[in-house]
Amino acid sequence: METGMAWVEAAPLALVGLLFMATLAVGVEVGYRGQLWLSARNQGKGAPPDHILSAVLGLLALLLGFTFSLSLNRFEGRRDLVVREANAIGTVWLRANLLEEPERQELRELLRRYVDIRLAWSDTDGADNDIAATSALQGQLWAVTGRAVRSDSSPLLARGLMDAMNDAFDLAGSRAAARAAHIPGRVLGVLLLYAALSMIMLGYMLAAGGRPHRLATTLLAALLSLAVVVILDLDRPRDGAIQVSQQPLLDLKSEMR
């Protein structure tokens, strides 16, 4: 199921929403036609109890809420990491201003370039060249920091600078890991399967009542599809419409200039 749902991460959201809505609409029609066929064979008109459908739709709402919460928590986590990384780099910047020349000026220039690279990484899909550029500049920053620590007479400043630099590097790795994390395909697959089965049961109940109510069922399928599209949008760090703001890094860049 993980492999089967991998296309959801790459397909356009509009296409995913339309396919999901079409699946739900087909499910309602299958349930409706199936009940008519069974009624014709058994010559029975007894409708199943309404509370069964209410329980099924209630559980569907619970699954949607759980998946939305999972996606929203990942989104909030990525936004929090942006703020923390900007704060960590800002701390390095402030402590670098206390160093002696020439390490102070060299470290300041490298930090300006590092913020530019982190902003460029945030605006791309995290390709290998962007990761390599970040790693290369981290090596240069660490080399300059090492020279500054060895030449500076203040152990407190040296320790503080190294700790802040470590935090900035660790948060860059945390952001990369957070970007790579997505809702498990098994969760999305179960949600789609359960929604389709729920619509089949809805169509079955409507046929037992004698009316298809196609307008109402179409609106229900559209609303469920919209909810799924929002969940998937939140789970797409780069190509979705809902993106984490990079304003903390932009503000830091302005302060550095």
Side-chain angles (χ1 to χ4, degrees):
M1 187 176 293
E2 292 280 352
T3 304
M5 295 302 296
W7 65 272
V8 176
E9 298 181 4
L13 285 175
L15 177 61
V16 174
L18 289 175
L19 289 176
F20 190 79
M21 181 178 174
T23 301
L24 298 185
V26 169
V28 174
E29 194 66 23
V30 168
Y32 186 82
R33 299 293 180 181
Q35 165 61 10
L36 294 179
W37 181 76
L38 291 175
S39 298
R41 285 177 60 92
N42 300 331
Q43 297 182 355
K45 297 183 179 180
D50 292 338
H51 66 267
I52 295 180
L53 179 61
S54 299
V56 170
L57 293 179
L59 185 55
L60 175 60
L62 183 63
L63 288 175
L64 279 172
F66 166 75
T67 311
F68 179 80
S69 176
L70 182 63
S71 181
L72 185 61
N73 287 338
R74 293 180 185 273
F75 176 83
E76 292 293 341
R78 293 194 298 269
R79 182 165 61 180
D80 179 66
L81 286 174
V82 174
V83 177
R84 290 173 58 191
E85 183 180 26
N87 290 338
I89 298 174
T91 301
V92 176
W93 172 263
L94 292 176
R95 292 176 182 176
N97 290 330
L98 302 177
L99 297 175
E100 300 293 336
E101 296 292 354
E103 286 80 9
R104 177 173 61 186
Q105 185 60 31
E106 187 175 358
L107 195 57
R108 284 162 58 95
E109 291 299 326
L110 288 175
L111 285 172
R112 291 191 183 101
R113 289 173 51 196
Y114 187 70
V115 172
D116 291 336
I117 287 179
R118 295 305 297 157
L119 283 170
W121 177 87
S122 302
D123 293 333
T124 62
D125 294 331
D128 292 339
N129 55 338
D130 299 315
I131 298 175
T134 298
S135 299
L137 196 50
Q138 285 178 350
Q140 297 179 41
L141 283 167
W142 192 251
V144 175
T145 302
R147 294 201 305 269
V149 167
R150 287 190 294 270
S151 62
D152 198 281
S153 59
S154 174
L156 291 178
L157 177 59
R159 178 61 182 272
L161 181 62
M162 293 180 65
D163 289 344
M165 191 75 72
N166 273 325
D167 289 341
F169 292 172
D170 290 344
L171 287 168
S174 298
R175 288 189 63 193
R179 174 180 287 190
H182 297 280
I183 297 175
R186 187 176 299 274
V187 173
L188 294 176
V190 169
L191 178 61
L192 175 60
L193 178 61
Y194 190 89
L197 294 176
S198 300
M199 293 301 102
I200 292 175
M201 180 172 289
L202 175 61
Y204 186 89
M205 297 285 293
L206 292 175
R211 297 185 61 186
H213 296 287
R214 286 191 172 86
L215 178 59
T217 54
T218 301
L219 289 176
L220 176 61
L223 290 175
L224 291 175
S225 301
L226 181 60
V228 171
V229 167
V230 172
I231 290 172
L232 295 176
D233 198 353
L234 287 171
D235 195 51
R236 294 189 174 191
R238 286 307 324 140
D239 57 348
I242 305 175
Q243 293 296 315
V244 173
S245 173
Q246 304 299 316
Q247 193 60 44
L249 285 174
L250 292 173
D251 293 340
L252 176 62
K253 179 179 179 179
S254 299
E255 294 176 3
M256 288 180 167
R257 299 301 179 189

